[in-house]
Amino acid sequence: MSAGIAGKVRAARVAGRLGGLSVLSGVLVALILLPTACTAGLGARDTADWFQTEPSDLKTPPLPQRSKILAADGSTLATFFYENRVEVRLDQVAPVLQRAVLAIEDSRFYEHGALDTQGTLRALISNMNSGQVTQGGSGITQQYVKNLLLEQAETEQARRAAAAVTPERKVRELRYAVALEKRFTKQEILQRYLNIAYFGDGAYGIEAAARHYFSKPAGRLVLGEAAVLAGVISQPHAYNPRLNPEDSRRRRDVVLGRLAELGWVDRGTAEAAAKAPLTLKVTNTPNGCVVSKAPFFCDYVRREILENPVFGRTAEERRRLLVRGGLTIRTTLDPKTQRAAQRAVDRHVPPTNSARKAAAEALVEPGTGEIKGMVVDRKLGDDRQRGKTWINFAADASHGTSIGMQAGSTFKVFTLAAALEEGMPFGTRLRAERYFTPTGYRDCKGRRVGDTKPLRNSADGEGGRSFTLVTGTQHSVNTFFLALQREVGLCETVKMAERLGLRQASGKPLQQYASFTLGFNTVSPLRVAAAYAAFGARGRYCQPVAITAITDASGRRLKVPSARCRQVMDEDVADAVNHVLRGVLTKGTAKGMGIGRQAAGKTGTVDNFSAAWFAGYTPDLAAAVWVGDPRGGYAHPMRGVCIGGQCYGAVYGASIPAPIWRDSMRGALSGQPAGAFVAPHRRFFSQGSGEDKIKVPDVRGQRLDRAVARLRAAGFKVEVRDRRVNSDEYPAGTVADIDPDEGFELEPGETVTVTVSKGKKPEDPPDVLDPLLPSPSPGTDD
């Protein structure tokens, strides 16, 4: 609205307002609403007085606005809305758009009050001729009231009443309009009207309409575009430019003509705009997580808001907050990490693989608990369609309806951590029987728990000999860990897992039985990833969090859940765990799955190959991967399956989960500086390194460089003596001696000293007679 128009109409505002209703205005109202007025026994003046009293139930609450979820880099992951609306100030709406709306809807808006007498008289004549209310003659304020009442209607019955063409509704609208004209300025009413009006195609408010039909904000619309939107308001479906372009174009031209008639736009300019084709650039705003770039993470955030009491006392309060509150939800998701994980999962377990297996991965930052990625090898949707599921296999039931999956040998790390916490050094050695009868255990209530049925070494490990904490973990020996758990105590192992955030995916506490260390509890990859992240953070556990900040439509910051980070074990213990688990990637069940930087991890193969896991981490990122069958792992085990173009006799933790983890971590951490673990305290080496002893190879006679390389490849440190020795057997520059001797058994990392030959000792020179001495006599012994 130009300054000239606004100035002229402001001067007429006082005279036109219903705040000083004349008897004539009261009579007009009474005539329009004659049945109601007479029934109430009101005269015209009484009706006017009644209209001037502000209704006690008049409310103007904030309009529903769409909420959006943002990734850590600010990119949009999803939007949620009851009505697709983005509120704007009046100065954010192009002046030509304001004029277009006023021209076609209420050209005298700035000149009259709540009741436009001319429009009302026109409607009155029509209504009297028809014998019913067929026209309302409503101005902008009255239209705003109608939309406001519709917006506040909570039930279908209330919505029908708010839209009904009846005298009762009309009197209510007029009375509210009178009150609003007292409460707000004309500019404020116009702003509210433009934000509440419906423009068809699910677009509420002028800003959402501009973005939807023209892919630009309302402040950048030009004349022809402004006329299109102004023309939509009266009949949003009939004049919908996407569905009915010809009707919309004709309506646009009517608006342009009206603008020219009022002198608000030059006639030549209006005619030129009318000759232009109707050109749209439609942008659809998706509602919900289905089309999100990170659908299962998005759904996790959605459920966090809907389920967490921090966002509202009741479920309905929380739902309304999400779809009506205009929230800006900033999250922890790193798009780079998410893309790397999704590619890795989809590559190794394609969404529509013929074996019908599934995979899920959660990635968590050590020390913060921030969820950096969350993927499932499916699209979010109806699982009756192949390659889709509503279940988030990466999360607990409360955040994805998953009942969880047995974790397998990934739980052995909690027994290892409990043993190290009790002071057991790396060299602690226990015999791992081929079969183990799990007796002698007590749960945390002191009750005996066990089983007389022997358990055997299946899947990851073997038995029949002794192992150390290091080698037992590297080989993932079931009976070794059953024996170790009995040594440290079942309850101590359970408490260690609980301190690290583990609980069943259902939300219930972990079950406590002898086979706890073998991972029979059903958990989520997210819980496992967060637990392993604590080792990477040197014993600092953080609850996994997805939301960093939320602001509502007014910019007010809302409270969000905290990670509640806390130290749950000594740093030395975590350093020792890291040291042992690094060996799994270099010498153990996941050998060859390194990522080019320091990393640690643990494989997990569930009994009967019903599922497979890998959980691993660096100081910068932790991840847990599950691969299994959504139909049930025991009914559909991971044996004799072909997935992603590769066939497997049986799927172990290192078969598919570990490669998914490796590819995800490499992609997520590429370009980032490599963090390093802290070396374990020397007390853990009090009984040696815990590695299996190795025989010193015989490298004598080999060139020094080749001998050193061979010894190092065997796992030894090498020291070269400064002094070389003569040797009749070994040429100069080769190894003449090693200490200890070849065949001697040492632990990896111990030192072998080599001595280099400088060749044969030179021969003594021939005797030379002194000419001053007499020659010896022949035949004598001297």
Side-chain angles (χ1 to χ4, degrees), residues 41-63:
L42 296 173
R45 190 174 301 276
D46 291 335
T47 301
D49 292 339
W50 179 69
F51 262 68
Q52 293 183 75
T53 305
E54 181 168 312
S56 60
D57 61 342
L58 177 59
K59 299 177 182 178
T60 56
L63 293 174

Side-chain angles (χ1 to χ4, degrees), residues 648-689:
Y648 305 86
V651 176
Y652 294 84
S655 303
I656 302 177
I660 290 174
W661 175 86
R662 176 197 61 201
D663 295 350
S664 299
M665 295 289 282
R666 283 177 174 174
L669 296 173
S670 64
Q672 294 187 27
F677 294 116
V678 176
H681 193 277
R682 62 179 179 273
R683 74 173 184 274
F684 293 106
F685 293 96
S686 61
Q687 294 182 21
S689 69

Side-chain angles (χ1 to χ4, degrees), residues 9-26 29 48 51-52 54 108-117 141 174-190:
V9 299
R10 275 195 297 270
R13 184 184 305 161
V14 175
R17 269 188 186 246
L18 274 179
L21 270 173
S22 65
V23 174
L24 174 62
S25 298
V29 173
F51 262 68
Q52 293 183 75
E54 181 168 312
R108 299 181 61 253
F109 172 66
Y110 282 97
E111 300 173 24
H112 63 71
L115 178 66
D116 180 4
T117 305
T141 306
L174 286 171
R175 190 176 182 218
Y176 279 15
V178 170
L180 289 174
E181 290 263 348
K182 292 179 179 179
R183 185 181 296 183
F184 302 116
T185 66
K186 284 287 189 179
Q187 287 83 358
E188 289 172 333
I189 291 173
L190 180 59

Side-chain angles (χ1 to χ4, degrees), residues 134-199:
T134 59
Q135 290 187 25
S138 299
I140 291 291
T141 306
Q142 291 172 253
Q143 290 185 48
Y144 168 61
V145 169
K146 178 182 177 180
N147 284 321
L148 184 64
L149 295 176
L150 281 169
E151 192 65 58
Q152 294 176 7
E154 295 288 342
T155 65
E156 185 58 35
Q157 181 180 359
R159 282 187 286 272
R160 285 196 301 268
V165 183
T166 64
E168 290 82 6
R169 193 213 82 194
K170 194 65 184 177
V171 72
R172 187 184 185 197
E173 283 183 10
L174 286 171
R175 190 176 182 218
Y176 279 15
V178 170
L180 289 174
E181 290 263 348
K182 292 179 179 179
R183 185 181 296 183
F184 302 116
T185 66
K186 284 287 189 179
Q187 287 83 358
E188 289 172 333
I189 291 173
L190 180 59
Q191 174 180 303
R192 287 169 173 269
Y193 172 71
L194 292 174
N195 279 313
I196 201 172
Y198 181 54
F199 290 85

Side-chain angles (χ1 to χ4, degrees), residues 312-434:
R313 291 174 298 175
T314 67
E316 178 58 22
E317 283 184 20
R318 298 190 289 269
R319 186 194 68 80
R320 289 176 66 86
L321 176 67
L322 178 61
V323 301
R324 292 172 174 263
L327 305 180
T328 298
I329 305 164
R330 302 184 184 279
T331 73
T332 60
L333 186 99
D334 174 47
K336 178 184 175 184
T337 299
Q338 178 73 12
R339 287 193 298 269
Q342 193 70 64
R343 283 196 299 265
V345 165
D346 290 346
R347 182 186 308 120
H348 292 282
V349 187
T352 56
N353 65 86
S354 58
R356 298 179 66 180
K357 306 308 180 190
E361 182 176 18
L363 303 99
V364 176
E365 184 176 67
T368 67
E370 293 188 356
I371 303 170
K372 295 300 181 181
M374 180 179 287
V375 298
V376 175
D377 75 320
R378 297 282 194 275
K379 294 184 181 300
L380 185 65
D382 191 340
D383 55 12
R384 288 175 294 184
Q385 300 180 49
R386 192 178 175 199
K388 293 185 177 182
T389 183
W390 290 117
I391 301 173
N392 185 352
F393 299 117
D396 287 352
S398 61
H399 289 77
T401 70
S402 172
I403 60 173
M405 294 75 70
Q406 289 187 330
S409 296
T410 59
F411 260 45
K412 291 174 181 173
V413 69
F414 307 125
T415 308
L416 171 66
L420 293 167
E421 188 171 67
E422 290 191 3
M424 292 187 185
F426 296 140
T428 301
R429 189 172 291 274
L430 296 172
R431 181 170 177 80
E433 303 293 349
R434 294 189 182 278

